[in-house]
């Protein structure tokens, strides 16, 4: 199971009956809480219902399966990376973006997502492909592309650097090293990745 900094929330006293969007938000939050503390394998619909202070039937009416509930919880909870940093150099922009991505990875929804990736079997993970790509990988690649394109326009980056292999490199490296070696991507590791790996791929000769 993914090691989490998050701890289970303390039991709460009974709350007034909730309905509609308020209840759905409580259920989705409870699902994220379960994922980030007990992981995919430990998550149960009963536990989610208890965390949301509602009945199990209320959960099943909205989400017939654990997979559907988790997909919606991740989609609703994952932090959005919406705009590429623009600090004047490709190095500074990539450093800032990687720190944002790292912070998202280690947020509560980020822990929840990684518990799914690490603990699910390949068939189960495939069911979450859209959530993972559309919510995390795709936006990150798009923002890296924006940074690289600006660097090309400034003459800082090689004109042929905006290709899929280069743009995939940072998300692939961050996910791989986190999963295989447990890297938490501190600032020094991010700087080393950018300086030793990305900049040699990107920079024009003489830059």
């Amino acid at each position: 199971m993914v090691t989490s900094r998050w701890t289970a929330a303390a039991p709460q006293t009974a709350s007034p009956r909730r309905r509609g969007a308020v209840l759905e938000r409580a259920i989705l939050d409870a699902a994220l809480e379960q994922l980030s503390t007990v992981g995919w394998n430990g998550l149960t619909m009963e536990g989610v219902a208890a965390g949301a202070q509602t009945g199990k039937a209320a959960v099943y009416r909205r989400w017939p399966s654990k997979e559907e509930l988790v997909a919606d919880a991740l989609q609703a909870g994952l932090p959005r990376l919406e705009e590429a940093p623009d600090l004047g150099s490709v190095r500074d922009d990539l450093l800032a973006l990687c720190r944002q991505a790292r912070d998202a990875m280690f947020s509560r929804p980020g822990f929840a997502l990684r518990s799914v990736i690490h603990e699910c079997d390949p068939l189960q993970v495939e069911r979450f492909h859209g959530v993972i790509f559309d919510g995390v990988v795709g936006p990150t690649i798009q923002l890296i592309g924006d940074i690289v394109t600006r660097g090309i326009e400034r003459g800082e980056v090689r004109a042929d650097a905006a290709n899929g292999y280069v743009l995939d490199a940072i998300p692939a490296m961050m996910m791989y090293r986190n999963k295989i070696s447990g890297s938490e991507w501190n600032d020094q590791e991010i700087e080393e990745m950018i300086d030793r790996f990305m900049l040699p791929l990107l920079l024009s000769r003489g830059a």
Side-chain angles (χ1 to χ4, degrees), residues 1-119:
M1 190 185 81
V2 176
T3 302
S4 172
R5 300 179 185 136
W6 297 91
T7 55
Q12 298 176 340
T13 57
S15 60
R17 185 176 179 84
R18 293 160 298 175
R19 299 178 184 275
V22 174
L23 177 57
E24 289 184 3
R25 181 71 260 177
I27 293 171
L28 294 174
D29 284 345
L32 288 178
E33 180 74 19
Q34 285 259 306
L35 281 170
S36 61
T37 54
V38 301
W40 167 264
N41 291 328
L43 182 145
T44 64
M45 301 294 262
E46 292 83 356
V48 170
Q53 298 181 297
T54 190
K56 184 171 64 174
V59 179
Y60 276 109
R61 275 198 303 271
R62 292 163 174 81
W63 295 279
S65 71
K66 175 176 169 177
E67 288 81 3
E68 290 172 290
L69 170 59
V70 168
D72 280 357
L74 291 172
Q75 192 167 31
L78 284 170
R80 301 287 188 255
L81 301 178
E82 296 180 339
E83 187 173 354
D86 189 1
L87 303 175
S89 76
V90 69
R91 181 182 187 273
D92 289 344
D93 292 348
L94 288 175
L95 286 173
L97 179 60
C98 288
R99 291 182 185 118
Q100 291 176 19
R102 183 264 319 276
D103 292 344
M105 285 174 65
F106 289 95
S107 65
R108 184 180 68 163
F111 272 112
L113 175 62
R114 289 186 297 114
S115 79
V116 169
I117 295 172
H118 291 194
E119 296 179 38

Side-chain angles (χ1 to χ4, degrees), residues 36-198:
S36 61
T37 54
V38 301
W40 167 264
N41 291 328
L43 182 145
T44 64
M45 301 294 262
E46 292 83 356
V48 170
Q53 298 181 297
T54 190
K56 184 171 64 174
V59 179
Y60 276 109
R61 275 198 303 271
R62 292 163 174 81
W63 295 279
S65 71
K66 175 176 169 177
E67 288 81 3
E68 290 172 290
L69 170 59
V70 168
D72 280 357
L74 291 172
Q75 192 167 31
L78 284 170
R80 301 287 188 255
L81 301 178
E82 296 180 339
E83 187 173 354
D86 189 1
L87 303 175
S89 76
V90 69
R91 181 182 187 273
D92 289 344
D93 292 348
L94 288 175
L95 286 173
L97 179 60
C98 288
R99 291 182 185 118
Q100 291 176 19
R102 183 264 319 276
D103 292 344
M105 285 174 65
F106 289 95
S107 65
R108 184 180 68 163
F111 272 112
L113 175 62
R114 289 186 297 114
S115 79
V116 169
I117 295 172
H118 291 194
E119 296 179 38
C120 286
D121 62 43
L123 180 59
Q124 290 172 320
V125 170
E126 184 63 27
R127 295 176 182 173
F128 296 105
H129 178 269
V131 175
I132 295 168
F133 188 85
D134 295 341
V136 180
V137 179
T140 303
I141 291 172
Q142 177 63 53
L143 296 182
I144 294 169
D146 293 344
I147 291 170
V148 170
T149 298
R150 281 203 305 261
I152 293 171
E153 292 169 353
R154 289 194 299 259
E156 183 184 6
V157 173
R158 296 192 338 264
D160 62 348
N163 65 74
Y165 294 106
V166 172
L167 302 185
D168 285 349
I170 287 176
M173 178 70 76
M174 293 186 76
M175 294 175 70
Y176 171 81
R177 293 196 66 174
N178 174 255
K179 183 170 183 176
I180 298 303
S181 62
S183 171
E184 295 192 359
W185 287 104
N186 60 42
D187 286 350
Q188 180 180 345
E189 290 176 312
I190 289 174
E191 289 179 11
E192 289 177 351
M193 174 178 64
I194 298 304
D195 290 339
R196 298 183 182 183
F197 178 54
M198 286 304 297

